[in-house]
Structure formats: structure tokens, C-alpha cells
Amino acid sequence: MKKVITYGSFDLFHRGHYNLLKRAKQLGDYLIVGVTTEQYDKSRGKLNVCDSLSERMESVRKTGLADEIIVEDHIGQKAEDILKYQVDILTVGSDWIGEFDHFRKYCEVIYLERTKDISSTMLRTNNFNLVRLGIVGSGKIAGRFMPEIKYVSGIVPVSVFNPRLEGAKSFAEKFGLKFYEDDWETFLSKIDAVYIASPHGTHIDYVMRALEGNKHVLCEKPLAFSGEDAKRAYALAKEKKLVLMEAIKTAYCPGFHQLVGVVQSGIIGTVYDVEACFTKLVPIGSREWTGEYAGAFSELASYPLLGISKILGVNYKSVRFESFWNEQQTDIYSKAYLKYPNAAATVKVGIGVKSLGSMLISGTRGFIEVKAPWWKTTEFGVHYENPANDEVFFSRYLGEGLRYEISEFLRAILGHNSNYFPAEESIAIAAVMEEFRKDRERCMK
Ligand code: CTP
């Protein structure tokens, strides 16, 4: 019996997929079809797959062409499958020509002509209207965002807003945007959604104005400096049936999801302590050092607070701070201690002090060390009393990692549930920011 194997995402199943499977089947007697998991697709940079794994497997099953359907969930699996299933022929479409030649030592490799003028990407774009995105602010963060957005199909940046028109103009020219505006209403009239990357203190005001103007909002962290402000924003978004997401990139990246899943699985027992650190030395005089919302805590604490609230929840009992200030009353290094009913957590952030950017999660059966930089989660170790049982997990983190939050923002706009970073966590983080600012006022008296 001649065994043939092929792989794909088979999202929004189309005639190109059908033709491929039909010809694959004709190559032998028994056809195995590997369907990719969403996690695997994400890790190889394929974002925005619309159908769930079970829907995509069902589409393949319905063709009646597959004798066996398997799940493909990791790099290296093809070689394993070829040996495991004693495959004679590996076949894929001609878009992969050359990519799988190294398997020729195990089996025959056949590239089948791809069906013209159809692809899942094309359907994803045509089935839904392209989301036109406007960028608020034209600084460093907005500049880092632009190269990432091209990895997400279905959303296109078209415009930039800056009250200083010159800034908007040069940004638009640099990134090839159609429009640049200094008038808010004109800006809103040409877009469906906004990405807010203006100075920190202006975030919440832009968020409210964009929601009032019926636009979906992706807002750079910190969304707000008060719990009430954040609450108002999420309430307005809910009332208007709009998406509001805080852009803390870690919340949306695959490695961090894996980490949270491993903690939730209970393998390190009950968690009693989470310690997370993020420091970034920045030159004196730069944005992080100047203005009302400058300093280590405003700039960086969102990340550790995200990690902590994901693992211990949002119902901490108390929070206290230790900060070190310069003459301009900017904290160069801060620590926050959160006390939970049955756990403790520590945040360490610095813009003038450098430390190890790792995360440590301690439980009753073991601990997890997330390697620095933990906020770009790519590697973490699970450690036990007996080191022979230790395990290490790896994950990919592509580019600047912003593509994951953009992809999730688009999914939410298209009506998919987005649970990676729920409103209550974002609100809790804003409430800690508020406590920090109160503490700062007390210290300055
Ligand atoms: N395929 C094909 N002809 C098409 C589209 C896909 O022969 N017009 C083949 C691919 O070469 C692959 C298989 O179908 O062997 C599954 O491809 P998949 O990546 O799931 O489909 P695409 O439509 O190419 O998806 P995307 O646009 O998301 O890359």
C-alpha cells in the first residue's frame, strides 16, 4: 500500500485545498492529512487563521479524500510522521517548492501545481472588510509598530494623527501612509480603528475620544493611571460594542500563553510567590525621564503587573512601594510588593538601575524560572526538589512581537472572543499605577 502524506492549515476551506487533496490522494492508496494547530501556525508566523482546529479538520474530513487526519503541532513533526506512518510520498503545493527536499532521503517528495487565484489569505481579506487603522502619535513606539503590522492580513495602516502636523507628515512619508492629520474629526472619518501610541499621559483622553467616535481602540500601555478611568473606558467600549485592548505585547505572545498554561496545570503546586523584573537603561533626557508621567514605574511596571495578575489574579489585598527618586522627582528604580490572601508578589522596574529581567514563580511543588527577557517569553524552566525531574520549555517570539497583539486586536474586531487580556486585569493594573502615583505624592511632601 502506497502511503501519501500532506499538511496544511486548510483555513476557510477552498477549491485550492480540494484540488490539492484530490491529486494527493491519486498519488497513492492511503492519504494522511496533517492539520496545523493554531499555536503552531502562530509560532511559524501565520496569524489570523479564522477557523478553529476542529472546524478545519472537519472541512478536510468532509471531502472524503483523507483516510486519516492528524494534527501537526510542532516543527520537526514531518520527519517523525514520515517514519512513524512509513510514508512513501510527501506532497504539498508548489508554493513550497524546494522547502522539503531534505526529506527525499526518507520518501519521495512531490510538489503539486497550486490552484491559481485562490488562497485562505485572499478569502480572509475578501470575506471581511479591510480594517483601516489610524495611528495616534508618531514617536518611537509607533515606528516600531509599523513594520510588524504587515505580518497581519486584514488590517492596514492608512493614517497618522499628531497635533503637530509636521510630525505626522514625516511619519506618513516614512511609512507610506495615505493620510496624515492634525484635525481629530478628519482623522477619525477615514479609519475604522486606532492604535494609540501618544505620550503616556494622553492615552486615556484619546481612548475616550476614539470610542466616542465609534472606533475600535488598541492602546499602548499604560492605558490609564487610575482604575476608575480604565473602568470608564471599558464600560464605554462595551456599551458601544467596540473593541478596547491594552497593548502589553507579552499578553498576546505564544510563549507567555504556554507559561500561564503550565502554571495553571498545577505542576508546581499552589503558587505562593511571583517575582518579576523589567529594567531598561535609557539615556538621561529621553522621554522616559521627562514629564509628569516619566519614571520607571509608569514606563515599565505594566509588564510585571501583567505577569502577576495573570498568575495570582487581580484581588490583591494591599500594595506598597519602595522607590528611589532623582531631583526631578522621577523614580529611577522602584519596587512594588503586592500582598494576596495566600501569596505575595514583587515588581522590580528601573530606568536608571539595571537588574536581571527574569521572572520567578514559586509553588508548593516546584518553581518556574522564566529566562530574561521574560516579557518576550521564549524559554522557561520548571524545577523541582529533585533536579532529575526538571523540564525546559521553548517557544518562538517573532520580530518585535507586536504582531501578536495586532492579530488579536483584528480577531476581536472580527467578532472572535479575545480572552488573553481581560478588562479586569487591565483595570487592576491601572489601579496599581494610581496607587503608585499617590505614594509618589506622599513621598514628595
Ligand atoms: N494549496 C494549493 N492551491 C491553493 C492554495 C493552497 O494547492 N490555491 C495547497 C498548499 O500549497 C498546501 C495546501 O493547499 O499544500 C494547504 O495550504 P494552506 O497553507 O492551508 O492554504 P493557503 O490557501 O495557501 O493558506 P494561506 O493563504 O493562509 O497561506
Side-chain angles (χ1 to χ4, degrees):
M1 181 165 71
K2 215 178 215 183
K3 280 192 175 175
V4 182
I5 198 162
T6 189
Y7 295 90
S9 307
F10 302 102
D11 189 29
L12 303 173
F13 199 88
H14 55 69
R15 62 186 161 81
H17 294 143
Y18 185 83
N19 291 343
L20 186 285
L21 293 181
K22 196 167 154 203
R23 284 171 297 153
K25 173 82 176 176
Q26 286 162 356
L27 293 174
D29 311 300
Y30 190 84
L31 177 64
I32 304 171
V33 181
V35 184
T36 51
T37 62
E38 189 180 302
Q39 192 74 11
Y40 179 49
D41 275 331
K42 266 196 182 170
S43 75
R44 63 194 187 121
K46 190 165 190 168
L47 305 170
N48 296 130
V49 170
C50 291
D51 293 338
S52 67
L53 173 61
S54 56
E55 284 167 332
R56 291 179 285 120
M57 289 176 87
E58 181 58 14
S59 308
V60 172
R61 192 194 62 76
K62 273 204 209 133
T63 63
L65 294 164
D67 297 286
E68 192 169 345
I69 302 173
I70 61 171
V71 169
E72 185 187 22
D73 70 356
H74 61 274
I75 191 164
Q77 186 181 323
K78 288 188 180 70
E80 294 163 19
D81 290 342
I82 290 168
L83 296 175
K84 176 172 162 189
Y85 296 101
Q86 299 185 316
V87 166
D88 300 289
I89 299 173
L90 165 69
T91 184
V92 284
S94 50
D95 44 327
W96 293 102
I97 281 183
E99 295 283 332
F100 297 124
D101 287 357
H102 51 283
F103 291 124
R104 290 199 199 277
K105 52 180 179 281
Y106 306 114
C107 66
E108 207 179 325
V109 177
I110 298 177
Y111 300 100
L112 293 168
E113 192 55 41
R114 208 177 138 88
T115 306
K116 291 208 167 36
D117 302 326
I118 183 86
S119 75
S120 304
T121 306
M122 197 174 114
L123 293 178
R124 282 194 285 268
T125 312
N126 294 355
N127 286 7
F128 309 102
N129 289 332
L130 269 189
V131 173
R132 299 165 305 163
L133 186 74
I135 318 287
V136 178
S138 47
K140 216 165 54 188
I141 299 178
R144 278 219 320 267
F145 183 87
M146 295 305 291
E148 287 279 311
I149 198 166
K150 65 172 186 284
Y151 293 98
V152 184
S153 54
I155 184 161
V156 278
V158 292
S159 180
V160 55
F161 171 85
N162 190 328
R164 231 178 17 88
L165 192 62
E166 236 351 90
K169 183 169 186 268
S170 56
F171 189 88
E173 281 166 3
K174 180 166 178 197
F175 294 105
L177 299 180
K178 245 183 181 164
F179 310 109
Y180 55 92
E181 315 284 352
D182 59 358
D183 179 72
W184 183 252
E185 295 306 323
T186 319
F187 170 66
L188 287 195
S189 69
K190 296 170 187 164
I191 56 172
D192 310 298
V194 295
Y195 167 60
I196 297 172
S198 53
H200 292 356
T202 64
H203 286 176
I204 193 66
D205 185 40
Y206 281 126
V207 167
M208 297 307 281
R209 288 166 66 194
L211 290 171
E212 274 150 15
N214 295 310
K215 306 300 167 193
H216 301 288
V217 177
L218 176 65
C219 178
E220 258 313 318
K221 39 113 208 121
L223 171 78
F225 287 97
S226 105
E228 276 313 308
D229 278 353
K231 243 189 218 161
R232 272 193 305 121
Y234 283 104
L236 181 60
K238 193 169 175 199
E239 180 196 318
K240 292 197 156 246
K241 295 189 171 54
L242 293 164
V243 175
L244 168 59
M245 271 176 44
E246 185 176 1
I248 304 182
K249 61 180 185 250
T250 312
Y252 310 95
C253 81
F256 185 68
H257 300 159
Q258 190 182 26
L259 168 72
V260 173
V262 167
V263 175
Q264 284 167 348
S265 77
I267 60 171
I268 59 160
T270 307
V271 174
Y272 271 77
D273 198 8
V274 179
E275 298 157 88
C277 173
F278 191 152
T279 61
K280 183 173 85 177
L281 291 183
V282 282
I284 311 278
S286 55
R287 176 185 59 79
E288 293 85 347
W289 285 103
T290 40
E292 166 69 12
Y293 295 92
F297 207 80
S298 309
E299 185 62 28
L300 301 172
S302 304
Y303 292 99
L305 289 170
L306 164 82
I308 290 165
S309 55
K310 262 296 165 236
I311 292 164
L312 296 176
V314 296
N315 297 321
Y316 58 91
K317 284 197 331 200
S318 61
V319 55
R320 73 185 170 82
F321 305 91
E322 269 169 28
S323 295
F324 298 89
W325 314 93
N326 68 7
E327 294 82 48
Q328 286 74 42
Q329 307 186 346
T330 301
D331 61 315
I332 65 164
Y333 184 64
S334 284
K335 291 176 91 170
Y337 303 90
L338 286 91
K339 178 90 183 73
Y340 285 77
N342 265 315
T346 314
V347 171
K348 286 203 310 190
V349 283
I351 55 169
V353 172
K354 192 68 195 160
S355 188
L356 177 65
S358 63
M359 186 184 199
L360 191 59
I361 306 161
S362 311
T364 49
R365 290 160 64 182
F367 71 89
I368 294 178
E369 186 199 6
V370 192
K371 284 265 170 339
W374 72 265
W375 54 94
K376 298 181 179 183
T377 325
T378 53
E379 183 186 338
F380 61 90
V382 182
H383 303 271
Y384 301 97
E385 193 58 45
N386 178 359
N389 298 328
D390 287 1
E391 277 178 279
V392 182
F393 292 79
F394 298 97
S395 188
R396 287 183 82 192
Y397 181 89
L398 299 169
E400 291 274 350
L402 301 176
R403 61 195 70 178
Y404 303 115
E405 69 192 25
I406 303 170
S407 152
E408 193 57 18
F409 181 52
L410 179 63
R411 275 174 52 81
I413 292 174
L414 298 179
H416 298 276
N417 267 341
S418 178
N419 298 318
Y420 288 135
F421 190 17
E424 63 264 25
E425 287 175 13
S426 171
I427 293 167
I429 292 173
V432 178
M433 290 283 173
E434 183 175 359
E435 289 303 320
F436 174 80
R437 294 183 63 74
K438 283 186 196 155
D439 190 67
R440 176 175 178 254
E441 265 170 45
R442 274 195 295 272
C443 292
M444 295 308 146
K445 269 187 190 149

